[in-house]
Amino acid sequence: MVVSPVALDPAATSTDLSNADVVALDRKNVFHSWSAQKSLNPMAIAGGSGSTVWDHDGNTYLDFSSQLVNTNIGHQHPKVIAAIARQATSLATVAPAAANHVRATAAAKILSHAPANMEKVFFTNGGADANENAIRMARLHTGRDKVLSRYRSYHGNTGSAIAATGDWRRIPNEYSRGHVHVFGPYLYRSEFWAETPEQETERALHHLRRVIQAEGPQSIAAILLETVPGTAGILVPTPGYLEGVRALCDEYGIVMILDEVMAGFGRTGDWFAFDAFNITPDLITFAKGVNSGYVPVGGVIISGEISATFDERVFPGGLTYSGHPIAAASIVASIDAFEEEDIIGNAARIGRDHLEPGLTALAAKHNVIGEVRGRGVFWALELVQDRTTRTPVSADYMGRLKVEILRLGLLPFLADNRIHVVPPAVVTPEEVAQALRIYDQALTTVTM
Ligand SMILES: Cc1ncc(COP(=O)(O)O)c(C=O)c1O
């Protein structure tokens, strides 16, 4: 690809450029994640506002991906942008060892929405290193080594986080030791021959108990679970499962880490996804929705008990940008806006009154939809060739579907044989109605 002179002009504005200019510059210089590089043809995105993004050629799209399921507050929320600008003007960086007002306020704001047993926040640069440090804390707190997590999971792209991940991304990266995987509840494709949610819960918990016993409970530091596995398919746990995991952790002295990186901060229509269940974890990891990714940040919310382990003993972990002031300012402004504008309530209402009935109606019309599941602004449509066999649709079908949905003006999130319907938590009923029309039309036009 030839890079045009305008793309190299530092004064060029987004309207001076075309999509082709930006894609050519990208392909010449940028190495992309999770991809073979040669055949990539990324979409150019020039700007965004709320639930909409646009490119350089005048096309706008409803963003029902929330990028990587992180823009919970929508694009360019004015209060968050203003807070970032203010903080950049007053103090753009500060060492993690300093006491800093905006960092301490961000931690206090996060803790104000966490369960009462949570006492401290350790800030990281994103979700992977949040899980990395939660695992480190659990290992040091228990003096044990192993970490149990699920095959259907994604926990991030660093040493222990990628080894804890279950999906294909773990396999070329398994350098970290002591990771064991289990199957969790997923009734639509039950690993346990279950026919009811109760059976799925009971058998998944039996399987987990047997793995704990077979691995040796005294060797297990933590069970790390996404409260609602996200990339793996938006698998809302069957009733009683998380409570059963909590009971097993208590029985065997295992730390319960809930990964709320994707599910937390409004995605499910709650502050934390586990708020809908009757449990309290020991460690909570967060990133994405805490500030919608306007500035990279993540962290671990730490129970009083685990935090006390490090009262006298050194915690052997840290990051130059831990609690970065611009990230902290964006967290404070984002949580304030969530509270002032009832953004969590909006996500819950959108889920209950618009997405659930709308997606269920789509499934009634299109046989290709095998299951609709989710809550809040966190939904999956599982697409199948046949509702009886539940055989997933092909990658070729998904590719054609993506092209058609984009052509109709919606930026979708597709994973394996699923459409993840994951708009920002600020999405309006009108935008949901428009998205439903687009999915409907695409599912009508694109045939198997
Ligand atoms: C549940 C979950 N945990 C951890 C991560 C990793 O976060 P990051 O990409 O910020 O490192 C992700 C990212 O998608 C995620 O979905």
Side-chain angles (χ1 to χ4, degrees):
M1 270 183 178
V2 181
V3 177
S4 80
V6 66
L8 298 171
D9 177 357
T13 66
S14 70
T15 41
D16 298 331
L17 297 159
S18 69
N19 288 346
D21 294 332
V22 174
V23 171
L25 191 63
D26 173 285
R27 296 313 305 120
K28 187 163 179 345
N29 299 290
V30 179
F31 193 94
H32 282 257
S33 337
W34 307 120
S35 309
Q37 305 297 309
K38 198 169 174 191
S39 61
L40 287 177
N41 184 19
M43 181 176 166
I45 295 187
S49 174
S51 302
T52 304
V53 289
W54 50 86
D55 63 16
H56 297 273
D57 293 353
N59 304 302
T60 63
Y61 299 88
L62 263 183
D63 183 358
F64 266 51
S65 68
S66 295
Q67 301 302 297
L68 279 182
V69 200
N70 60 271
T71 55
N72 293 14
I73 204 165
H75 290 275
Q76 301 298 111
H77 191 289
K79 292 176 187 164
V80 184
I81 299 298
I84 290 170
R86 261 196 318 275
Q87 186 61 42
T89 309
S90 67
L91 184 67
T93 192
V94 64
N100 174 262
H101 182 244
V102 71
R103 177 190 293 149
T105 308
K109 287 259 167 211
I110 291 166
L111 286 166
S112 74
H113 293 288
N117 67 325
M118 295 294 160
E119 287 190 3
K120 292 271 166 54
V121 176
F122 177 69
F123 288 107
T124 62
N125 301 334
D129 46 342
N131 286 320
E132 205 69 38
N133 280 285
I135 289 171
R136 172 182 284 146
M137 286 173 195
R139 284 179 166 153
L140 293 167
H141 176 71
T142 58
R144 302 174 180 178
D145 202 32
K146 286 182 191 160
V147 175
L148 259 57
S149 52
R150 279 187 284 213
Y151 284 106
R152 293 187 193 278
S153 69
Y154 180 68
H155 294 294
N157 174 33
T158 55
S160 290
I162 196 68
T165 290
D167 74 25
W168 67 271
R169 289 172 283 193
R170 164 178 49 90
I171 296 160
N173 289 305
E174 265 177 323
Y175 305 115
S176 174
R177 64 162 205 266
H179 292 272
V180 178
H181 293 81
V182 296
F183 286 104
Y186 179 14
L187 187 57
Y188 189 69
R189 299 192 185 281
S190 175
E191 301 289 344
F192 310 109
W193 292 276
E195 286 169 357
T196 65
E198 294 73 26
Q199 284 175 351
E200 185 75 352
T201 295
E202 192 188 337
R203 295 175 192 182
L205 286 172
H206 173 76
H207 163 64
L208 178 59
R209 176 185 288 281
R210 295 294 297 131
V211 172
I212 292 171
Q213 292 170 343
E215 289 292 332
Q218 292 310 317
S219 71
I220 301 170
I223 297 180
L224 165 62
L225 303 178
E226 287 178 75
T227 311
V228 177
T231 314
I234 313 189
L235 308 172
V236 179
T238 45
Y241 180 73
L242 289 174
E243 291 80 354
V245 175
R246 177 72 268 182
L248 283 169
C249 286
D250 292 341
E251 184 178 338
Y252 291 113
I254 297 169
V255 171
M256 184 176 192
I257 309 173
L258 287 183
D259 177 341
E260 292 260 341
V261 168
M262 188 180 280
F265 289 94
R267 183 67 31 210
T268 60
D270 284 299
W271 282 96
F272 292 102
F274 66 79
D275 292 348
F277 303 90
N278 194 16
I279 46 151
T280 307
D282 302 303
L283 296 170
I284 304 162
T285 57
F286 65 90
K288 301 192 188 257
V290 72
N291 70 342
S292 291
Y294 285 20
V295 181
V297 74
V300 189
I301 309 175
I302 312 165
S303 70
E305 191 191 332
I306 295 182
S307 169
T309 296
F310 303 102
D311 278 350
E312 309 291 343
R313 178 176 171 190
V314 170
F315 173 66
L319 299 150
T320 300
Y321 307 131
S322 178
H324 192 281
I326 296 180
S330 70
I331 290 174
V332 173
S334 182
I335 294 180
D336 283 349
F338 269 44
E339 291 167 353
E340 289 156 16
E341 298 167 23
D342 188 26
I343 290 171
I344 305 275
N346 186 63
R349 286 188 296 277
I350 287 285
R352 190 189 56 227
D353 301 339
H354 300 277
L355 284 172
E356 179 162 24
L359 296 173
T360 306
L362 270 190
K365 185 169 170 192
H366 298 280
N367 283 334
V368 72
I369 301 177
E371 186 174 64
V372 177
R373 53 176 182 262
R375 47 190 299 137
V377 285
F378 204 27
W379 291 82
L381 299 177
E382 175 125 9
L383 305 184
V384 292
Q385 296 180 31
D386 176 316
R387 281 188 174 173
T388 314
T389 62
R390 301 184 177 180
T391 308
V393 293
S394 66
D396 170 67
Y397 175 85
M398 292 302 288
R400 287 183 288 119
L401 194 61
K402 181 174 181 181
V403 169
E404 182 62 5
I405 293 174
L406 276 169
R407 194 186 68 76
L408 294 168
L410 185 141
L411 179 56
F413 189 108
L414 303 185
D416 299 331
N417 63 315
R418 302 175 303 270
I419 304 176
H420 290 193
V421 180
V422 285
V426 295
V427 72
T428 64
E430 294 71 31
E431 288 165 335
V432 170
Q434 190 187 341
L436 290 169
R437 281 194 296 274
I438 291 175
Y439 293 131
D440 185 16
Q441 192 177 330
L443 290 167
T444 305
T445 311
V446 180
T447 54
M448 217 97 70

